Amino acid sequence: MADLFDMELAVRLGTALAIGLVVGVERGWRERTAPAGSRTAGVRTYALSGLLGGVFGAVSSSLQSPWLVGLGFLGFSFAFAVFKLREAIHDDDFSVTGVVAAFAVFIIGAYAVIGSIQIAAGAGAALAVVLASREFLHGLLARLSWAELRSALMILGMSAIVLPLLPNHAIDPFGGINLHEIWLFAILAASISYIGYLAIRIFPPQHGIVLAAVTGALISSTAVTMDLARRSRKADAISGLAGGACLAGAVFILRVLTLVAVLRPSLLVPLAPGCLAAALVFGIIGAALMWRSARDEDAAIAPGNPFDIPTILAFASVFALVAFTAAFLLDQFGARGLFATVLIAAIADVDAASLAVLRLAGANVPTATTVSAIFLAIAVNALTKCVYAIALGSHHFALLFCGATVAALSLGLAAYLLIEL
């Protein structure tokens, strides 16, 4: 046991040393042109700082005296700060990054011994990445507008401040309204809108739309459609935005098919032809619209606002109302109210509707009924997006997207009926 403990301690101390070494390499590289002996800390100093923190952690753990780590940190901080102050006065330098980095190395080194070695290693790597990203972060901050920075801070506040305060359980008797999940959906919708904004702003317009639509649709194709529709009111490249919404539609259908393959693979045979046909139509029309938009050299896409909070909160409220209604129907009528439940649930979220169907699938619900209910969920959710396109987008955008949706659902239904016959 003693050998095993010593080996584990050696690994932990080695990790503490490695953390300091990695940070020291980054700090030393930045000051590589400075004369020898003119800098407070370099590669060796930071490496020894991490090891020193690990040693204090080991001694503190062995003597069961947690205060030793605190005393060690105070002594180390005072000595390092004194030398760094002399250097700063000599160089007329006001940066405190090196001091904070040294403090962090000592504490992470101590935690590598007395806490989770994996968390300590991750924290050390993150510290090194942040230190090495100075030019990138400063350049990014210089390019950000106030609206972009404010939007990022709002998303951060929604995630880090509000979300942890909300209860992560149903607050209604039917299990439909979970404030934590609803607010998480609002955060996802806001993030999708923000990522779409950045993609359109950073990349060429068509590439940005495709990237934003496809990646966003993996989370919520409805949020993607709402965002693209809103942007279409101030853009010239309507075809490109509608094409992105169609590509998101293809992704959302394939996402449902993947969900079925994981949870109920036996339903793939009757379900796949119709879903793949509808997804293919969405994909072809989306690609054609993107190609058409790329040919129009005068087409432009104004990024607009990073995201529209009132629209997102309104949709989250609708999501909560629909979730409550669907849960009520499911609780009161069970399999008998399957289609009514799907009809209501699919308005807000096709995944929720599909999960409700798959939960009831089996002995109580025939396969044909389950497949029909999933098709109903896809159709209702797709038509709901048409409503958002009409309400939020330009007339041209709504016409293109609604036409593509009708074509996709029609061919999907035809393929489904052909298989049934």
Side-chain angles (χ1 to χ4, degrees):
M1 287 297 293
D3 292 339
L4 290 176
F5 176 77
D6 291 342
M7 178 59 67
E8 180 184 353
L9 179 59
V11 171
R12 288 176 176 271
L13 288 173
T15 301
L17 177 65
I19 290 169
L21 185 63
V22 170
V23 174
V25 167
E26 190 280 333
R27 293 282 87 191
W29 184 88
R30 290 192 178 278
E31 300 177 347
R32 63 191 183 280
T33 59
S38 64
R39 291 291 176 258
T40 297
V43 178
R44 294 177 301 169
T45 302
Y46 281 101
L48 291 175
S49 298
L51 180 61
L52 183 63
V55 170
F56 268 98
V59 174
S60 175
S61 177
S62 177
L63 299 178
Q64 296 183 347
S65 301
W67 53 269
L68 281 178
V69 174
L71 287 178
F73 177 71
L74 289 176
F76 168 79
S77 301
F78 177 77
F80 192 92
V82 168
F83 279 89
K84 196 66 178 176
L85 177 61
R86 294 179 59 194
E87 177 188 327
I89 294 174
H90 179 271
D91 295 343
D92 195 22
D93 179 24
F94 294 93
S95 175
V96 75
T97 303
V99 177
V100 175
F103 292 174
V105 165
F106 182 94
I107 291 297
I108 296 174
Y111 188 74
V113 173
I114 61 178
S116 169
I117 190 173
Q118 292 84 1
I119 294 178
L127 175 62
V129 168
V130 170
L131 291 172
S133 303
R134 184 183 70 176
E135 287 78 10
F136 171 77
L137 294 175
H138 287 182
L140 180 63
L141 188 61
R143 291 194 299 269
L144 283 177
S145 67
W146 167 242
E148 295 163 351
L149 180 60
R150 179 192 60 200
S151 299
L153 292 176
M154 290 178 68
I155 294 177
L156 182 62
M158 292 170 65
S159 306
I161 300 175
V162 180
L163 185 63
L165 299 178
L166 298 177
N168 190 12
H169 56 80
I171 62 173
D172 65 300
F174 308 108
I177 299 180
N178 184 316
L179 294 179
H180 188 276
E181 291 181 354
I182 293 171
W183 192 250
L184 179 61
F185 176 82
I187 293 172
L188 293 175
S191 301
I192 289 172
S193 180
Y194 191 70
I195 291 171
Y197 169 91
L198 293 179
I200 293 173
R201 186 175 183 270
I202 295 173
F203 296 98
Q206 285 70 34
H207 296 169
I209 292 174
V210 172
L211 179 64
V214 173
T215 56
L218 294 174
I219 303 174
S220 173
S221 59
T222 303
V224 171
T225 304
M226 290 172 57
D227 183 56
L228 294 177
R230 183 171 57 85
R231 297 187 191 283
S232 71
R233 289 186 175 273
K234 297 181 180 180
D236 298 325
I238 305 299
S239 298
L241 294 171
C246 291
L247 294 178
V251 172
F252 111 83
I253 294 176
L254 295 176
R255 198 178 73 228
V256 172
L257 200 60
T258 302
L259 188 65
V260 173
V262 172
L263 299 179
R264 294 284 179 177
S266 60
L267 299 177
L268 277 179
V269 173
L271 192 62
C275 286
L276 292 177
L280 181 63
V281 172
F282 263 134
I284 291 175
I285 295 177
L289 290 174
M290 297 299 301
W291 178 77
R292 173 185 171 185
S293 177
R295 291 186 60 194
D296 187 358
E297 296 180 358
D298 297 327
I301 302 174
N305 293 326
F307 61 86
D308 186 7
I309 283 292
T311 301
I312 292 171
L313 294 181
F315 184 59
S317 300
V318 173
F319 182 89
L321 178 61
V322 170
F324 172 79
T325 305
F328 171 77
L329 291 174
L330 194 62
D331 179 80
Q332 296 297 311
F333 302 104
R336 293 177 300 163
L338 178 62
F339 286 99
T341 301
V342 169
L343 184 65
I344 298 298
I347 294 175
D349 181 46
V350 69
D351 288 338
S354 301
L355 287 172
V357 173
L358 295 174
R359 189 170 69 179
L360 292 175
N364 297 330
V365 182
T367 298
T369 302
T370 303
V371 173
S372 298
I374 293 176
F375 268 120
L376 177 63
I378 293 174
V380 170
N381 190 259
L383 293 174
T384 300
K385 295 187 184 76
C386 290
V387 174
Y388 287 122
I390 295 171
L392 300 176
S394 66
H395 296 303
H396 189 194
F397 177 91
L399 181 64
L400 292 174
F401 179 73
C402 293
T405 300
V406 171
L409 293 180
S410 298
L411 187 60
L413 179 61
Y416 167 66
L417 294 177
L418 184 63
I419 293 298
E420 286 294 304
L421 295 176

